[in-house]
Amino acid sequence: GIEEENVLHNLFGYIHSISPDRMLKIQRRAFLLLVDPTFIEHAVYTDQLNLCKCVCVTLSVNKEVELLELKRNYMPLLMKGMVHWFDSTLNKRNLGMSMMLVILQRFGEDQLPEWKVQDPHLH
């Protein structure tokens, strides 16, 4: 719930304030896991949801210049990895689409895909 996200925001905000480079390393690892076919196919949904929450929170503490660096370095990888989410179960597909929409929006993309996310809790 909201309390969990606040705790995550405080944690990642603190990490970012003491070491922005460490935050970028955490995000790199999170992005790599987010597109890993084995993680997408075999991890339980709740673990994937927790990873997505962490990614959202970490993106919320980034400065614009950091977001541009993340976009430049990881956008091709993230877009390529979306194929695995599309090939997954309905819940996982909805989670992957929602996560990518958040990332694209945070990266400043004006034209977002018009995916039909079929889970009202993920909007």
Side-chain angles (χ1 to χ4, degrees), residues 74-123:
Y74 300 107
M75 181 67 93
L77 175 74
L78 292 167
M79 295 307 289
K80 184 177 176 185
M82 271 308 297
V83 168
H84 305 294
W85 289 100
F86 284 131
D87 290 340
S88 193
T89 65
L90 180 61
N91 282 344
K92 291 182 178 186
R93 183 170 48 250
N94 285 328
L95 181 61
M97 287 188 296
S98 296
M99 184 72 260
M100 186 52 70
L101 288 171
V102 168
I103 292 170
L104 290 171
Q105 187 174 27
R106 198 65 187 117
F107 282 175
E109 290 295 311
D110 294 330
Q111 301 273 334
L112 298 178
E114 294 186 23
W115 292 326
K116 302 289 185 215
V117 177
Q118 298 173 352
D119 186 338
H121 301 291
L122 295 175
H123 287 278

Side-chain angles (χ1 to χ4, degrees), residues 35-48:
V35 298
D36 182 286
T38 303
F39 177 75
I40 295 167
E41 184 177 342
H42 298 291
V44 291
Y45 178 82
T46 54
D47 291 343
Q48 294 169 331

Side-chain angles (χ1 to χ4, degrees), residues 23-42:
M23 177 59 69
L24 292 173
K25 287 178 184 177
I26 290 170
Q27 288 172 306
R28 176 187 173 277
R29 289 184 177 169
F31 287 154
L32 291 174
L33 188 55
L34 194 64
V35 298
D36 182 286
T38 303
F39 177 75
I40 295 167
E41 184 177 342
H42 298 291

Side-chain angles (χ1 to χ4, degrees), residues 48-98:
Q48 294 169 331
L49 181 60
N50 287 331
L51 175 65
C52 290
K53 286 179 184 180
C54 288
V55 168
C56 289
V57 173
T58 63
L59 290 173
S60 75
V61 299
N62 284 118
K63 294 182 166 85
E64 290 300 317
V65 66
E66 296 163 336
L67 290 170
L68 289 173
E69 180 181 344
L70 289 169
K71 179 180 179 179
R72 181 174 38 88
N73 291 334
Y74 300 107
M75 181 67 93
L77 175 74
L78 292 167
M79 295 307 289
K80 184 177 176 185
M82 271 308 297
V83 168
H84 305 294
W85 289 100
F86 284 131
D87 290 340
S88 193
T89 65
L90 180 61
N91 282 344
K92 291 182 178 186
R93 183 170 48 250
N94 285 328
L95 181 61
M97 287 188 296
S98 296

